[in-house]
Amino acid sequence: MPKLTIDGTEIEVEAGMTILQAAETIGIEIPRFCYHERLAVAGNCRMCLVEVEKMPKPVASCAMPVGEGMVVHTSNANVRKARQGVMEFLLINHPLDCPICDQGGECDLQDQAMAYGGDRGRYQEEKRSVEDKDYGPLIQTWMTRCIQCTRCIRFISEIAGTPVLGGLGRSEHLEIGRYVGAAVSSELSGNLIDLCPVGALTNKPASYTYRAWELKKTESVDAMDALGSAIRVDTRGNEVIRILPRVNDDINEEWLSDRSRFAVDGLKRQRLDRAYVRKDGKLVATSWNDAFAAIAAKVNGLAGNKIAAITGGQTDVETMQAFKDLFAVLGSPHIDCRPEGSKLWPGNRAGYLFNSTIAGIEQADALLIVGSNPRIEAPVLNARLRKRWLKGGFKAAVIGPKTDLTFKHDYLGDQASILADIASGNHPFFEVLKNASNPAIILGQGAVNREDGAAILALASKLAEATGMIKDGWNGFNVLHTDAALVGGLDMGFVPYVGGYDTAGIVAGAAKGEISVVFLAGADEVDVKNLGNAFVVYLGTHGDAGAHRADVVLPTAAYTEKSATFVNTEGRVQRTRLAIFPPGEAKEDWKVIRALSDALGKPLAFDTVKQLRERIAATNPLLAGEGSLVAAPWAPVGIDGALTDKPLASSIDNFYQVDPISRASKTMAECTSQFGGGCGCNSKKKTGTHG
Amino acid sequence: MSNENEMTSFAFTPENLEKAKAIIAKYPAGRQQSAVMPLLDLAQRQVGWTSIAVIEAIADMLEMAPIRVQEVVTFYTMYNQRPVGQHHVQVCTNICCLLTGSDGVAQVAKDTLGLDWGETTADGMFTLSEVECLGACVNAPMMQINDDYYEGLTPDSTKSVLEAIKRGETPKTGPQDGRQFSAPAGGPTTLGELTFGTEKA
């Protein structure tokens, strides 16, 4: 390990580190624009110049590996002068529009010009101006502000895997641009905004609505997909302005999917802000008490097995516990947290988790993806798979939808029978898995949300055991969830009791009149039109499908408006933080259920969220610790059965509109009309401008 | 000359395909992208310019993103992004040529051909382009017409070269000011009285 001296401090660092990284280990920050620790080194902005003794010129520390005996100065007079010169050059063509720039206040160029720049410029000539580019409805471009650090080009090529951006032209005429006719439609495109060190790429939906210093920042957890990415919710007053990713190397590194980031306007539109009761066929706004009275009139005196509850994709653990307790008191066995008919079942936790963990999937060297399109179901995870593939020595194959996953894979077909072939060893991919040191399988919801879901689970489980996916220190059996709620629901055991109906059974029972009251907690994926004459109580945030069918609507809080527990697809228990208050009279879901239990004359045994969480911890100790991740012991899963010939597909058909929030979002609707359902970014796509 | 909107597809002719394969084979397996520049040149010699169709065909062939090929095409002025005339007159206006009078060369070229930068004559014979350094600084100012360099130009010699081409002649290439390649102007300045051993008086 080379020893070197940086600013008088002697340190020993790993060989291959750059001077910039070495300096960071002892807390010396070197300014930079183009360098980013998760992207390839470009070395083109020259801001990170340092002086190394015996070298004739200042060197770019981001690209210079450390050497034995180097003596580095990071802030002597020479270095300061060099940086000041670089800054002066950068500012030559950069407009002085900070007062109207959205990046103002959180701009690397602004900050570094203050810290390292001169106090005046000497440039008198015309500045260069660059035509803005159309990057779609999410990214606003101000190309004149661009300092050509090429971070966006590197991100979209390396991390997102959709190389559509490039540097076109030469020297002074160099412009960052799109390939003709290609759209910047990566599901991770919002990260370009975070990466851009200046205001060249800014948040289009939020443009001109905020200044960075006006925002209150709340660190929270995403609930728009099942990864539970770390996010920061930026709010002003009682309005979410934007959502940004936080660094969490276990889950999202520092990326965030476009739906998680840009569906925020859905939190403001079509919101349920008061209770409604249906009178003469129309929903009429009413008070909480009247709404509860209407429910009590229906429920009181009704036999327990005539009542049912289904929870939706963003229902938190607290709500499910409250519901479960209420239904235990009411004596109903009909509860289900799987509105889309998943065949996953509680008990065997390894049977429904992403066992390798999200970060751990980088250890896999052979992977079979079944019934899933990770690129639209969990774009951040897909970026990890791509990262793994880029490292080399990674064989992947897909049974399911045929799409461009941004990494090379064998497409085996879309029939479940292929999985059976592989599991029984009659398919060449069996050998690939068998010979791999860390083989893995990813089962999408598209594989378990079907009639033969249990049989597919059983096949996958057998395959996992036969190919050595289960061993000490490695469990490659992975279920990729798409809903933030499902793992928590399964951990809670929010599934029908013996003799109870699952979602399909509840709908059929309601249609037949067997079930007379159905509670839907944000469960809009249920076939609400076929609930017959059942009295539907909808707890939710948006005027979505469920609310339209409901007889009583109870407004509740979205994930940004409460502190709620979610369990992500790998089984990590995480908690959101309240960033703003729910709109109007809306209340946190568990409080609504607690109040309802009073109205029904059967008060539940908790009054505070603390008591409720203690109760949750008592029922399932795994749910007690925030942030905890406990590896699940392996046991075979699934039930042998016949396979259907229905093609395996992804459970999501439109990346941009999945849940009530994103369906209410204007931005997401625009993305849908411009980009389609995601994965539309094929650089080889023929377009109108083609030739 | 093909129109900008005409070329919808591109494929190498069988002979050129053989050449392309030979070029690709020069690079180690997996590094086939290194062949992008010679392949673009080969394609340009086949169809006259590097259209989007050319870019995509080559990107496909070398398994790289089309934008990476486009970056190369837009960097070098030698790749024509538009169809050009039979004689592509490329006048360098970089620093050495500028200092030695490329302004006059450019003006004469414009006047003689009746073109501005980037334009093509109606008969498709000439295209005039302003280009970056072509690496003949020692013989500045210079222009390149198709593959030939005309160096050491003055407004007059520029005019006579262009007029000769207009008449269908092939003017002498290289320095137009009597220099031998890039030997010093006005004859040798060193080794002038070179003598050996016993010849010394």
Side-chain angles (χ1 to χ4, degrees), chain A residues 153 157 163-171 173 177-180 683-686 689-691, chain B residues 4-8 52-53 55-56 60 64-68 70-71 74-77 132-133:
Chain A
I153 299 177
S157 316
V164 294
L165 296 181
L168 302 177
R170 172 174 181 167
S171 69
H173 305 290
R178 291 178 307 156
Y179 184 66
V180 271
S683 55
K684 286 183 187 145
K685 196 175 70 174
K686 300 283 187 261
T689 52
H690 191 276
Chain B
E4 204 162 339
N5 298 317
E6 268 171 17
M7 202 191 292
T8 49
I52 293 298
I55 289 174
E56 299 207 342
D60 245 11
M64 59 201 286
I67 183 80
R68 298 281 94 83
Q70 201 187 8
E71 283 177 331
T74 55
F75 185 86
Y76 295 101
T77 53
E132 310 287 342
C133 184

Side-chain angles (χ1 to χ4, degrees), chain A residues 303-384:
Chain A
N305 64 2
K306 289 192 142 316
I307 310 169
I310 307 171
T311 57
Q314 290 187 349
T315 311
D316 51 88
V317 170
E318 286 83 358
T319 309
M320 284 189 264
Q321 182 68 53
F323 249 127
K324 207 178 169 198
D325 288 355
L326 179 66
F327 270 63
V329 179
L330 292 172
S332 163
H334 313 303
I335 56 172
D336 202 353
C337 63
R338 304 161 302 170
E340 285 162 288
S342 164
K343 295 290 179 287
L344 297 172
W345 192 256
N348 177 5
R349 207 165 181 246
Y352 59 82
L353 289 187
F354 201 92
N355 290 297
S356 73
T357 74
I358 293 167
I361 198 73
E362 285 184 38
Q363 309 305 319
D365 50 1
L367 174 69
L368 179 65
I369 299 174
V370 183
S372 172
N373 176 357
R375 185 164 162 198
I376 59 173
E377 289 171 21
V380 173
L381 175 77
N382 198 61
R384 275 229 198 233

Side-chain angles (χ1 to χ4, degrees), chain B residues 16 42 56 112 117 122 134 152 176 178 183 185-186 201:
Chain B
N16 279 347
L42 190 63
E56 299 207 342
T112 316
W117 295 133
L134 292 170
Q176 304 295 311

